[in-house]
């Protein structure tokens, strides 16, 4: 929500309470819509890209819907449709854009085919953490660019949670050098997959339901997923004993996106409730991932070996990523603009992060 809208809504709420509907002239139009919409029940159809009640991501949206109902006194109902019920998992963007559904919950990097710049909104390999990404969106221009670019598709995006740092994935064999990546078949999407390709690996995309079997049968040599909490449910430890620390998804952002025309027809009150409930969902999801990953890490089978990728590989990954970003910037002015905003925030954030957070993490041991 824009600052002006927030101020107007707050002022209206206060004046409605104090003066029983007696408003200043300039508030009249919005005051009327506020009063008309107040108490009127609104139902929104929200489709997700996850199975029903999928742990953490799906249950996060369930709680978001419940909070919208509670905070609105029952006047705002969000009806959730799990993947493939109303629309296929990866068609939620198009369906909301065409107003076939009102909203969706999904991952931003799925839509990079529409505009390569969208991949940056979803997170950057070797880049910003979840907390840093959220700061960029809210305070350093990220939201303005995201909303401008989604606006061309008649969409209005909100951050819909974040995973925190993800693990580097499960490998059947140890990776001791760059040479070990040659021809390695790995399930890894997004910019991380493009970097792996430049390093000689063969990134593949597989639906969630097929990954375990492919890994177990050796059709693929490695896979990334999320972190210990969700990875344990997939059983990867039985098929690949080497579990590598992450680099490619330090802070992946999920999205809660609305059809823009539908969003604009909502009352200021309902917009404020959705915005507040989405921020609550984002913060809860980050904390839940942190806690459940910490618990699940302790419970991994003893056969699992936690590993760090070789320095040689990470140096090559940084170089490959820089080349990919330069290529994409040359091809797309949107990508270039988003990257410039992102990098300006990285530059601003780094010195303070080094003397504050990084320092604490180092000295506390
Ligand atoms: Ca992942």
């Amino acid at each position: 929500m824009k600052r002006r809208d927030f101020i107007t809504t707050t002022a209206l709420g206060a004046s409605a309470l104090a003066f029983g509907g007696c408003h200043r002239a300039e508030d009249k139009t919005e005051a009327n819509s506020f009063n008309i919409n107040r108490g009127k029940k609104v139902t929104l159809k929200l489709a997700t890209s996850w199975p029903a009640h999928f742990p953490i991501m799906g249950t996060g949206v369930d709680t978001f819907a419940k909070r919208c109902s509670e905070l609105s006194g029952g006047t705002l109902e969000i009806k959730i449709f799990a993947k493939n019920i109303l629309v296929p998992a990866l068609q939620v963007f198009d369906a909301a854009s065409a107003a076939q559904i009102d909203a969706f919950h999904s991952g931003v990097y799925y839509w990079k085919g529409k505009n390569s710049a969208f991949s940056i909104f979803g997170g950057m390999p070797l880049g910003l953490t979840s907390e840093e990404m959220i700061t960029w969106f809210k305070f350093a221009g990220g939201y303005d660019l995201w909303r401008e670019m989604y606006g061309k598709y008649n969409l209005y995006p909100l951050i819909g949670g974040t995973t925190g740092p993800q693990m580097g994935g499960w490998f059947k064999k140890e990776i001791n050098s760059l040479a070990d990546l040659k021809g390695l078949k790995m399930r890894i999407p997004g910019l991380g997959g493009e970097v792996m390709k430049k390093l000689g690996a063969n990134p593949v995309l597989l639906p969630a339901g097929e990954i375990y079997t492919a890994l177990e049968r050796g059709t693929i040599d490695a896979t990334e997923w999320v972190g210990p909490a969700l990875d344990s449910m997939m059983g990867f430890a039985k098929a690949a004993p080497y579990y590598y620390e992450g680099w490619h998804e330090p802070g992946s952002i999920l999205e809660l996106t609305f059809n823009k025309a539908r969003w604009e027809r909502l009352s200021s009150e309902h917009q404020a409730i959705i915005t507040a409930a989405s921020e609550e969902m984002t913060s809860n999801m980050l904390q839940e991932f942190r806690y459940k990953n910490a618990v699940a890490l302790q419970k991994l089978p003893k056969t699992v070996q936690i590993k760090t990728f070789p320095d040689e590989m990470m140096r090559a990954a940084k170089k490959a990523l820089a080349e990919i970003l330069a290529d994409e910037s040359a091809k797309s002015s949107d990508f270039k603009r988003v990257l410039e905003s992102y990098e300006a925030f990285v530059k601003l954030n780094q010195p303070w992060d080094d003397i504050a957070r990084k320092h604490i993490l180092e000295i506390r041991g």
Side-chain angles (χ1 to χ4, degrees), residues 109 166-167 187 189 224-226 248-249 252:
Y109 65 56
Q166 298 197 14
M167 286 293 282
R187 184 265 174 199
E224 71 83 52
W225 188 235
V226 185
H248 70 295
E249 290 191 80
S252 287

Side-chain angles (χ1 to χ4, degrees), residues 36-56:
I36 288 163
N37 285 315
R38 186 164 194 138
K40 188 178 147 200
K41 175 138 184 196
V42 170
T43 301
L44 299 176
K45 286 185 201 163
L46 184 152
T48 78
S49 296
W50 335 114
H53 320 301
F54 190 75
I56 310 178

